Amino acid sequence: MEEVRELGSDPTAWRTHALQGFIRLVGGQVGLTTDMENAFPGVAPRVIDPLDVGWTNTAVRNTYYHYCQTEIVEDPGAIALMNMHRNVTFLTTTRKELVDDNTWYGAPAVSELRRSGDVDDFVCSSVSLKPGWLHGFIVYRPWGERTFDQRERRMMRLVHLRLFRLYKSSLHQQWSLEEIRALPPRVRQTLELLLAGDNMKRIAEKLSISVHTVNDYTKALHSRLGVSTRTEL
């Protein structure tokens, strides 16, 4: 945890380190962390700023991301997870707690796409930041290996809870709600749209301002927050 704290100013570094730690902790092979917007059952969510480690090759990785953009709407595990997040904010679960073996292996999205991507059973921990917006970590085992158990789920939950508290503590130290409310209205609206995943052109259209002005507002936010990239923001 202290290593993650030290790497906190570099989101790529600390997320990679956390994923590698989760993989060692629970004995997986592939680790993934991302935000997902529009994460509702029956809808293809938008994957935002994904980061992953452990793929055997690029083709397998590409197969998995193709699945995320297409077949995830029919994936029984994803459907069950999104349904549970309607009532639960912080959720850590194994695949078998979400969906039974017959349903899982009988689904084409699993038997075809996941199998070709060489990922099978998983344990995941996710937070619903607001309706339809999920953030979390997931660790996979290769196709055909043993399922994750309750001990491994509890370990992942414990570490993710500590990471999340560290993240919230860092936010509190750097940027209070009062400071956000004190921003000029257009700058605050720009911040909200950036965090929602909109690009510069889309923000300009929504706020009826020029792209140049959006860029100026973004630079002002970077300066005030002490960050240099959109990922850090």
Side-chain angles (χ1 to χ4, degrees):
M1 198 62 62
E2 288 303 316
E3 293 170 351
V4 168
R5 189 193 302 272
E6 292 172 1
L7 294 169
S9 60
D10 184 341
T12 299
W14 82 255
R15 291 195 305 159
T16 301
H17 192 74
L19 282 175
Q20 291 168 340
F22 276 128
I23 287 172
R24 289 194 300 271
L25 186 67
V26 300
Q29 175 177 301
V30 174
L32 170 70
T33 180
T34 188
D35 281 21
M36 298 180 75
E37 183 186 24
N38 205 31
F40 297 105
V43 179
R46 188 162 70 94
V47 177
I48 301 172
D49 197 22
L51 189 146
D52 52 72
V53 298
W55 294 106
T56 55
N57 60 64
T58 302
V60 169
R61 179 180 184 271
N62 290 342
T63 297
Y64 177 83
Y65 278 104
H66 174 73
Y67 142 80
C68 284
Q69 296 168 3
T70 56
E71 301 299 322
I72 195 171
V73 296
E74 299 177 3
D75 185 287
I79 293 170
L81 180 72
M82 293 173 191
N83 274 322
M84 290 186 72
H85 265 301
R86 288 176 170 175
N87 301 310
V88 179
T89 299
F90 196 107
L91 175 66
T92 310
T93 181
T94 63
R95 189 275 300 168
K96 295 196 77 166
E97 291 174 307
L98 290 173
V99 57
D100 63 86
D101 286 352
N102 289 335
T103 303
W104 178 250
Y105 292 109
V110 175
S111 61
E112 296 172 10
L113 281 173
R114 280 183 178 270
R115 187 167 189 170
S116 62
D118 196 31
V119 290
D120 188 358
D121 200 64
F122 63 83
V123 57
C124 66
S125 191
S126 51
V127 182
S128 178
L129 302 176
K130 62 181 180 180
W133 191 295
L134 301 182
H135 166 77
F137 296 86
I138 185 166
V139 176
Y140 290 104
R141 285 201 172 118
W143 188 266
E145 290 200 2
R146 73 172 181 86
T147 59
F148 288 97
D149 59 29
Q150 293 301 304
R151 176 177 174 273
E152 290 156 345
R153 178 185 64 78
R154 287 193 293 269
M155 288 191 297
M156 188 163 188
R157 182 176 180 84
L158 175 62
V159 176
H160 190 196
L161 277 170
R162 293 187 64 188
L163 280 173
F164 192 57
R165 288 167 184 160
L166 180 62
Y167 170 74
K168 289 197 298 182
S169 174
S170 175
L171 284 183
H172 179 73
Q173 292 171 8
Q174 296 177 31
W175 196 241
S176 70
L177 184 59
E178 288 73 24
E179 288 175 302
I180 293 174
R181 287 172 175 163
L183 288 170
R186 280 293 198 232
V187 178
R188 187 172 67 249
Q189 290 171 336
T190 299
L191 172 63
E192 292 169 353
L193 293 172
L194 284 169
L195 296 181
D198 287 331
N199 60 32
M200 296 286 188
K201 183 178 179 181
R202 184 63 177 153
I203 294 171
E205 292 172 352
K206 287 184 176 180
L207 299 182
S208 299
I209 58 180
S210 70
V211 174
H212 178 74
T213 301
V214 175
N215 188 53
D216 286 343
Y217 289 165
T218 304
K219 287 180 179 178
L221 286 166
H222 285 184
S223 176
R224 190 159 182 175
L225 282 167
V227 299
S228 58
T229 68
R230 181 165 179 164
T231 300
E232 288 179 290
L233 179 62

